[in-house]
Amino acid sequence: MSIDVGPGGDGSDIFIDVITTSGTVRGITCSRMGSVITSCGTWVLRTTPMPGDTLGP
């Protein structure tokens, strides 16, 4: 699992990606205000990375 916070500040989005046991990658983006998550989108299928790839939201 990978968790990343947007470019800084109290209103930065939270990006969560997980690799399933079958090898697919799913991600979700959540909005926050301070330490409170205010809303989340839906899980979406992401491109499966190759070794050495770096991912962004």
Side-chain angles (χ1 to χ4, degrees), residues 4-45:
D4 185 24
V5 178
D10 284 341
S12 298
D13 289 340
I14 299 170
F15 308 102
I16 302 170
D17 290 326
V18 296
I19 299 175
T20 66
T21 55
S22 64
T24 61
V25 178
R26 301 226 176 239
I28 193 168
T29 301
C30 298
S31 299
R32 71 180 179 101
M33 188 56 65
S35 62
V36 176
I37 294 174
T38 56
S39 66
C40 290
T42 57
W43 289 96
V44 295
L45 184 63

